[in-house]
Amino acid sequence: MEQYDVIIIGAGPAGLTAAIYASRANLKVLIIEAEVNGGNLSKTYEIENYPGIKSISGLELANQLTEHGQKFGAKLISGEVKTIENVPVKKVVLANGDEYESRALIIASGTKERTLNLPRAEEFTGRGISYCAVCDGFFYRNKEIVIIGGGNSALEEALYLASLVAKVTIVIRRDEFRADASVVDRVKDNEKISIITKHVPEELIIEDDRIKGLKIRNVDTNEIETVSCSGIFPYIGADPCTEFVDKSLLDENGYIITKNDMSTDIEGVYAAGDCIRKDLRQVVTACNDGAIAANSIIKYLKNKK
Ligand code: NAP
């Protein structure tokens, strides 16, 4: 079995930054990505809070990071991690049965979007319900769409979709947004976007096997209202991808608990990025975590020699 100094689980901004730092220190690095290189970043229309780059498409930044992450010799493979064993070295087992060993591990597996919990929602995912505005927005040109949620993802993607579609209706369950104030202001100023507060999705309206609208319920009065639309984009938050992680390392929401040096309670296991317990989940904070985790491992492996 091929041995590595570090295995990094996840090729998002945290994992790729860790790969840059670890491989520049001449460590032998393997990165394992289950889905898309660049992580959730690749599905984001525009990034405008990454210092030094005033505006860049999420996909472009994801591609640049993916290239950069491999520039100093890190190997990137595709695979879904099923289990991690910890003694005497770290052993990572993939869903296809492949196994890889390393002296240290960085878990940077990110988060996965929550799906809409309504009858038939799964059946219509990809044909009326989408979790990726950048991928699917084009199909709704000049049509009406609904966005559910009031966080940064919902509002940023609403702004993008408003440039394509006839009308965007944002439905939020409180009477205030969770997103940053600057994005909220831009959404409120956009003529194509209307906002319905204090409502939650109740039922899909389906005719001729197509989404034709969404019934929403007022959280105070329980009254039902109908919004007609051809597409629904739920952005109702995300959960950490930590199913394969030892439960003793997780908080009550499944996020990995780390110390300041990104170490966990298991020796040689570090974590970084959106999958750890923290307040601010941004590309820049993910990169920060990845750099710290790699630097800690460089010191840890030196001391182990
Ligand atoms: P989020 O910040 O957790 O927001 C989720 C939104 O969905 C909230 O408005 C929430 O309402 C609503 N919601 C949750 N469950 C719901 C349900 N069952 N029914 C209806 N509405 C529901 O999620 P996010 O926007 O995906 O962002 C995730 C993290 O990534 C955040 O830390 C965010 O700041 C970060 N992010 C940053 C950027 C950026 O800086 N450019 C871009 C995207 C994401 P409540 O507010 O009432 O709970």
Side-chain angles (χ1 to χ4, degrees):
M1 192 186 303
E2 213 174 344
Q3 306 280 323
Y4 290 87
D5 293 313
V6 195
I7 292 177
I8 299 170
I9 301 173
L16 292 166
T17 304
I20 294 169
Y21 278 71
S23 50
R24 282 188 84 230
N26 281 340
L27 295 183
K28 189 174 175 190
V29 178
L30 175 71
I31 318 165
I32 304 172
E33 171 55 50
E35 291 194 5
V36 187
N37 295 336
N40 290 339
L41 175 60
S42 59
K43 296 190 207 164
T44 306
Y45 173 61
E46 186 184 14
I47 300 289
E48 51 179 24
N49 55 1
Y50 189 75
I53 303 176
K54 279 177 256 161
S55 172
I56 187 168
S57 86
L59 183 60
E60 176 60 21
L61 185 56
N63 288 342
Q64 287 191 24
L65 275 170
T66 303
E67 218 175 282
H68 199 174
Q70 298 169 88
K71 181 177 175 190
F72 305 103
K75 182 177 172 185
L76 172 58
I77 62 163
S78 165
E80 185 194 349
V81 173
K82 273 288 165 208
T83 56
I84 298 168
E85 293 168 28
N86 281 301
V87 280
V89 289
K90 312 298 168 201
K91 185 156 96 177
V92 174
V93 183
L94 303 191
N96 66 4
D98 288 353
E99 296 181 353
Y100 299 91
E101 282 186 359
S102 64
R103 298 163 66 208
L105 199 65
I106 300 176
I107 304 168
S109 46
T111 57
K112 192 164 179 49
E113 69 271 350
R114 289 187 195 132
T115 53
L116 189 60
N117 185 17
L118 286 183
R120 304 191 70 185
E122 206 179 325
E123 184 188 335
F124 280 88
T125 298
R127 52 189 198 102
I129 298 175
S130 169
Y131 297 89
C132 181
V134 180
C135 323
D136 298 333
F138 185 77
F139 299 116
Y140 299 95
R141 267 179 317 159
N142 304 322
K143 295 184 175 166
E144 297 188 9
I145 61 117
V146 167
I147 290 183
I148 303 161
N152 277 322
S153 300
L155 268 54
E156 287 178 4
E157 302 315 310
L159 288 168
Y160 167 62
L161 286 166
S163 68
L164 293 175
V165 305
K167 186 183 173 197
V168 176
T169 304
I170 300 177
V171 178
I172 60 170
R173 63 183 175 182
R174 291 186 291 147
D175 53 4
E176 59 181 295
F177 291 99
R178 191 177 280 270
D180 299 343
S182 66
V183 192
V184 174
D185 287 346
R186 280 161 60 198
V187 162
K188 286 181 174 168
D189 284 347
N190 192 307
E191 285 177 354
K192 278 196 185 170
I193 302 178
S194 64
I195 297 158
I196 301 178
T197 61
K198 292 202 157 196
H199 279 74
V200 287
E202 184 72 10
E203 189 186 328
L204 301 175
I205 300 172
I206 299 161
E207 285 167 24
D208 300 328
D209 207 31
R210 283 168 187 260
I211 299 273
K212 292 289 181 192
L214 179 68
K215 285 188 184 172
I216 54 174
R217 178 173 54 81
N218 185 307
V219 292
D220 291 333
T221 63
N222 280 331
E223 271 172 49
I224 302 289
E225 195 178 313
T226 296
V227 188
S228 50
C229 63
S230 312
I232 301 170
F233 290 77
Y235 284 102
I236 53 175
D239 293 308
C241 303
T242 51
E243 304 79 21
F244 56 88
V245 179
D246 190 306
K247 298 290 168 276
S248 68
L249 299 186
L250 305 180
D251 74 4
E252 63 284 2
N253 296 315
Y255 290 96
I256 302 171
I257 301 167
T258 54
K259 304 183 187 78
N260 286 345
D261 65 351
M262 298 296 145
S263 63
T264 68
D265 278 348
I266 298 180
E267 193 193 321
V269 177
Y270 295 72
D274 282 5
C275 66
I276 71 166
R277 182 169 73 178
K278 61 177 179 175
D279 286 337
L280 189 60
R281 293 193 171 80
Q282 310 271 294
V283 179
V284 72
T285 61
C287 295
N288 164 78
D289 299 346
I292 294 173
N295 190 50
S296 302
I297 285 179
I298 293 162
K299 288 188 205 154
Y300 165 74
L301 292 180
K302 231 179 229 165
N303 290 337
K304 280 205 69 139
K305 272 185 185 158

